[in-house]
């Protein structure tokens, strides 16, 4: 027995000292092991995904008491659930009895949770309600009020304008401090609604990637790849435009896909901005989303609600991807978020969720869904281009011919002001910034 305990303890001990972890990230390159080593993935689950604020879901997905959403934080199964007092809780999806996963459905509504194994029931805030045939506990020290028998609450939960994040760690900064300047992207998306409110529509579009989660995250503000990786969509859409009858409107599908074939100069001009904790965004006034045609009635509904000046201010901001490290990325101008759910060192689930701008013409939502089908879906013209490259990296990084992955493009040509550092759009700045955060999390600030 003692031997077994020792064995378990040995297996869980970190295989990396802080010095060894720090050595994996240099100023201009990272060691391939950050993508390949299962031991590092385990440490990431503890030191990054177990500490940072991780996106859980949107309050509109749990509108009424009893509504729940089942998801994961890192690899921890959790439920986001609205209780009878109207509070949004995030609880571990684990029975306080034998540890079975209590809820199997991705979402639904319940008055109480009941474990399918032995029938223990739990209130909507996770507290134990009842155990069947309880006389069996009469002569034991079983105390139903003891919190150990509940479905446990996640350490910290905070919401910003309906977006619910949780941290598995009781210690740390609050959500707003964590998000910093990325808060403005969430504000911008919500303020694009005439009612200053958004809601999730339908379920997510899931897409499993055969790669490490960090490859997806690096790609978000990697503007060196579209003109190469997505070259075919540029060619195809240019051909469609050429064949249009004179004066014909450009189809909205072309409008959405075409910018993915933009030039190095276009993306350089957009610029990339990074901040503490690994967050980043591209663009500002301009992005690949800023040249969309106006949808009839939308501008009028915004001006009626917010006035012209405020409307122009809101719609004049067009960030590309805003990446909130490590779990969340948002396109404010398209009303889409993508959420990272790491599964294994070489497997990652990406969930795309779509939002309705309350009070806006329904055509706005149609554009959001169309965008997702054309760009994010596993059957789209753009997403699989990226996926193929991630899978190639995941495969060939195993080659012993080289150890390092390069990230030095435009290094030393950044400019910092007010906590934000900016560079040309095709810089590797956002990647270098992510690995600075990775290193801080992984070494717990003690390099
Ligand atoms: Fe891409």
């Amino acid at each position: 027995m003692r031997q077994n305990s020792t064995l378990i303890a040995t297996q869980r001990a970190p295989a990396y000292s802080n010095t060894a972890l720090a050595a994996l990230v240099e100023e201009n390159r990272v060691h391939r092991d950050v993508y390949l080593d299962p031991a590092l993935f385990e440490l990431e689950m503890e030191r990054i995904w177990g500490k940072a604020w991780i996106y859980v879901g949107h309050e509109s997905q749990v509108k009424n008491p009893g509504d729940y959403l089942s998801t994961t934080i890192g690899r921890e199964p959790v439920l986001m659930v609205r209780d009878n007092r109207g509070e949004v809780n995030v609880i571990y999806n684990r029975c306080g009895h034998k540890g079975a996963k209590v809820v199997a459905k991705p979402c639904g509504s319940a008055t109480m949770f009941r474990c399918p194994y032995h029938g223990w029931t739990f209130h909507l805030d996770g507290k134990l309600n009842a155990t069947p045939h309880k006389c069996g506990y009469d002569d034991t020290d079983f105390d139903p009020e003891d919190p150990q028998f509940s479905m446990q609450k996640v350490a910290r939960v905070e919401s910003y304008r309906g977006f619910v994040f949780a941290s598995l760690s009781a210690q740390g900064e609050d959500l707003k401090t964590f998000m910093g300047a990325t808060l403005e992207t969430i504000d911008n998306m919500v303020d694009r609604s005439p009612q200053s409110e958004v809601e999730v529509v339908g379920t997510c579009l899931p897409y499993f990637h055969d790669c490490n989660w960090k490859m997806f995250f690096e790609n978000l503000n990697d503007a060196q790849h579209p003109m190469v990786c997505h070259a075919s969509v540029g060619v195809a859409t240019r051909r469609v435009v050429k064949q249009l009858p004179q004066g014909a409107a450009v189809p909205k599908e072309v409008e959405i896909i075409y910018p993915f074939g933009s030039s190095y100069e276009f993306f350089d001009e957009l610029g990339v901005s990074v901040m503490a904790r690994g967050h980043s965004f591209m663009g500002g006034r301009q992005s690949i989303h800023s040249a969309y045609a106006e949808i009839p009635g939308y501008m009028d509904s915004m001006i009626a609600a917010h006035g012209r000046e405020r409307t122009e201010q809101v719609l004049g901001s067009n960030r590309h991807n805003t990446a909130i490290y490590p779990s969340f990325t948002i396109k404010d101008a398209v009303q889409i978020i993508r959420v990272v759910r790491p599964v294994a060192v070489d497997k990652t689930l990406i969930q795309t969720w779509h939002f309705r701008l309350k009070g806006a013409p329904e055509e706005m939502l149609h554009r959001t869904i169309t965008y997702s089908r054309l760009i994010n879906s596993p059957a789209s013209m753009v997403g699989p281009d990226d996926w193929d490259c991630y899978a190639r990296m995941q495969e060939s990084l195993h080659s012993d011919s080289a150890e390092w992955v390069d990230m030095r493009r435009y290094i030393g040509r950044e400019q910092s002001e007010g906590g934000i550092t900016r560079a040309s759009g095709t810089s590797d700045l956002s990647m270098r910034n992510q690995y600075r955060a990775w290193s801080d999390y992984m070494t717990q600030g003690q390099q």
Side-chain angles (χ1 to χ4, degrees), residues 29-45:
R29 61 182 191 170
V30 296
H31 193 272
R32 62 175 176 155
D33 283 357
V34 305
Y35 307 101
L36 301 179
D37 188 346
L40 282 174
F41 181 81
E42 293 302 322
L43 265 187
E44 288 175 346
M45 291 303 104

Side-chain angles (χ1 to χ4, degrees), residues 6-300:
T6 310
L7 184 63
I8 290 165
T10 308
Q11 283 172 341
R12 285 190 171 176
Y16 286 85
S17 66
N18 277 0
T19 309
L21 287 166
L24 295 168
V25 176
E26 296 187 356
E27 198 185 7
N28 54 16
R29 61 182 191 170
V30 296
H31 193 272
R32 62 175 176 155
D33 283 357
V34 305
Y35 307 101
L36 301 179
D37 188 346
L40 282 174
F41 181 81
E42 293 302 322
L43 265 187
E44 288 175 346
M45 291 303 104
E46 179 191 323
R47 297 185 178 180
I48 302 178
W49 295 81
K51 294 269 164 55
W53 286 101
I54 305 297
Y55 180 71
V56 182
H58 191 262
E59 287 183 24
S60 62
Q61 293 172 278
V62 290
K63 280 183 183 151
N64 302 306
D67 290 353
Y68 65 81
L69 173 80
S70 170
T71 185
T72 51
I73 297 177
R75 283 175 308 177
E76 294 285 337
V78 298
L79 294 172
M80 179 174 84
V81 51
R82 194 178 290 275
D83 66 24
N84 288 323
R85 292 170 302 149
E87 303 272 316
V88 174
N89 298 272
V90 180
I91 58 177
Y92 289 87
N93 191 0
R94 178 202 185 276
C95 181
H97 181 211
K98 303 281 191 190
K101 188 173 183 178
V102 178
V103 176
K105 283 167 62 178
C107 59
S109 191
T111 51
M112 209 164 271
F113 298 119
R114 181 173 183 271
C115 180
Y117 198 3
H118 301 97
W120 283 29
T121 55
F122 302 89
H123 294 287
L124 297 173
D125 62 358
K127 190 175 180 303
L128 178 64
N129 172 57
T131 60
H133 203 45
K134 63 182 177 189
C135 57
Y137 291 112
D138 283 351
D139 298 324
T140 73
D141 60 356
F142 176 73
D143 175 6
E145 295 299 317
D146 187 333
Q148 73 166 299
F149 299 118
S150 294
M151 292 170 74
Q152 302 295 310
K153 284 193 174 190
V154 165
R156 291 185 296 154
V157 181
E158 281 192 42
S159 171
Y160 183 74
R161 300 198 75 174
F163 293 81
V164 179
F165 287 73
S167 169
L168 301 182
S169 170
Q171 317 297 327
E173 61 200 355
D174 62 29
L175 179 62
K176 276 190 174 179
T177 308
F178 169 80
M179 290 174 83
T182 65
L183 285 171
E184 289 163 31
T185 312
I186 290 189
D187 284 337
N188 185 266
M189 181 163 120
V190 179
D191 291 341
R192 282 169 179 263
S193 153
Q195 295 175 15
S196 295
E197 212 178 316
V198 295
E199 61 182 356
V200 168
V201 178
T203 188
C204 69
L205 195 161
Y207 190 179
F208 276 100
H209 285 44
D210 294 325
C211 70
N212 186 269
W213 64 272
K214 298 188 292 297
M215 288 182 190
F216 170 83
F217 222 86
E218 287 167 37
N219 176 265
L220 294 167
N221 288 320
D222 173 335
Q224 274 185 84
H225 83 280
M227 58 297 289
V228 180
C229 178
H230 305 305
S232 61
V233 300
V235 171
T237 47
R238 272 193 292 275
R239 196 176 298 147
V240 171
V241 170
K242 234 178 171 176
Q243 289 168 357
L244 284 174
Q246 213 172 11
V250 175
K252 70 177 171 198
E253 290 81 2
V254 170
E255 197 177 71
I256 288 170
I257 297 174
Y258 185 78
F260 283 87
S262 298
S263 65
Y264 288 106
E265 290 74 19
F266 172 84
F267 282 104
D268 263 338
E269 185 69 20
L270 289 190
V272 61
S273 303
V274 307
M275 58 225 72
R277 302 165 196 86
H279 310 330
S280 60
F281 62 85
M282 281 200 83
R285 291 200 65 73
Q286 254 206 319
S287 78
I288 65 168
H289 312 301
S290 50
Y292 295 164
E294 193 196 323
I295 284 175
Y298 175 57
M299 197 73 174
D300 292 344

Side-chain angles (χ1 to χ4, degrees), residues 371-420:
Y371 181 95
S372 205
R373 286 178 181 160
L374 292 171
I375 309 299
N376 296 331
S377 151
S380 76
M381 292 175 71
V382 174
D385 292 342
D386 297 308
W387 176 91
D388 178 57
C389 291
Y390 309 149
R392 285 167 185 251
M393 286 165 70
Q394 195 71 42
E395 181 184 345
S396 287
L397 282 172
H398 283 283
S399 160
D400 290 331
S401 57
E403 297 284 317
W404 295 90
V405 173
D406 188 76
M407 294 182 180
R408 77 190 62 211
R409 192 173 161 83
Y410 279 132
I411 195 165
R413 290 161 71 177
E414 306 88 356
Q415 289 182 333
S416 297
E417 195 186 345
I420 297 184

